[in-house]
Amino acid sequence: MRTDYFLIAEILRPHGIKGEVKIKSHSEDLDNLMQVKTLYIKENNAYCPIEAEGFRLHSGEVLLQIKNVYDRNTAERYRNTELYIARTDASPLEEGEFYISDILGIRIVDREGNELGVLKDVLTSYATYVYQVRCKNGTFLFPAIDKVFVNVDIDKGVMVLDEQVLSEIATYED
């Protein structure tokens, strides 16, 4: 589950004629993203570095200038490309925090160790994160609030939830 690289953004399309590209950030920490000098793209299951010459905000959009990309045709090659950063360049964590990529695929169990499912996704577009868990009968979702978590052990690949709290807040999909 731990990885040395994090998906941080994706290149949507070229912007203008000077080689800039519009990106969609997957990070809450836009300031940290805009300080990163080395980004990575995945090619043939390998992470290949590209140098960020600069970022800028334009009409609420994040634009990236990639080193040695100075025209629209060259920028077009990067359309729909995912951008990664090295774990060492990621924002530092506070006590009790973890990176989303480290918990995707983690086993979800109750206090007695009964298997509830596997964490499929973390939805970040809400006021609080919403965890999406794949289970035997479909999918259930729950907000990531402190009182539902008993323990998260990334090294063991298990997240223990309070089943009573979960029963009050979870929604189920078939």
Side-chain angles (χ1 to χ4, degrees):
M1 303 207 204
R2 288 187 189 257
T3 178
D4 291 334
Y5 299 92
F6 299 128
L7 176 62
I8 195 76
E10 69 181 278
I11 295 173
L12 300 176
R13 59 177 168 71
H15 176 83
I17 61 171
K18 295 183 179 179
E20 285 182 306
V21 291
K22 177 183 172 186
I23 67 170
K24 176 182 175 188
S25 176
H26 297 303
S27 171
E28 290 180 352
D29 192 352
L30 198 54
D31 289 333
N32 189 56
L33 169 64
M34 293 176 75
Q35 299 304 313
V36 173
K37 296 295 180 202
T38 304
L39 297 161
Y40 297 84
I41 59 175
K42 208 170 180 183
E43 293 180 341
N44 301 320
N45 291 324
Y47 293 92
C48 303
I50 61 170
E51 296 300 314
E53 200 163 89
F55 291 89
R56 70 182 179 103
L57 294 175
H58 174 73
S59 300
E61 298 177 337
V62 180
L63 301 179
L64 164 65
Q65 181 72 57
I66 301 169
K67 187 175 183 179
N68 297 324
V69 176
Y70 301 113
D71 63 78
R72 187 175 184 91
N73 290 338
T74 306
E76 185 65 44
R77 295 182 202 154
Y78 291 97
R79 181 184 289 269
N80 299 322
T81 299
E82 293 179 330
L83 296 172
Y84 297 82
I85 61 169
R87 178 181 287 271
T88 55
D89 290 331
S91 300
L93 295 174
E94 299 287 328
E95 180 69 30
E97 290 183 330
F98 38 80
Y99 297 112
I100 291 173
S101 64
D102 288 342
I103 61 171
L104 293 177
I106 202 168
R107 288 180 29 247
I108 308 293
V109 300
D110 65 16
R111 289 178 184 267
E112 284 75 45
N114 298 316
E115 198 80 26
L116 300 175
V118 174
L119 186 62
K120 179 180 176 183
D121 200 2
V122 178
L123 310 175
T124 60
S125 56
Y126 300 96
T128 188
Y129 289 174
V130 175
Y131 285 35
Q132 184 179 41
V133 178
R134 184 178 52 247
C135 58
K136 290 183 238 179
N137 301 328
T139 303
F140 69 88
L141 299 109
F142 67 93
I145 56 176
D146 288 341
K147 66 182 183 176
V148 74
F149 297 101
V150 175
N151 185 37
V152 178
D153 190 330
I154 294 171
D155 294 326
K156 291 183 180 176
V158 66
M159 180 181 292
V160 181
L161 302 181
D162 182 314
E163 59 276 7
Q164 178 62 40
V165 174
L166 189 63
S167 70
E168 296 169 4
I169 62 173
T171 60
Y172 293 83
E173 302 174 336
D174 292 330

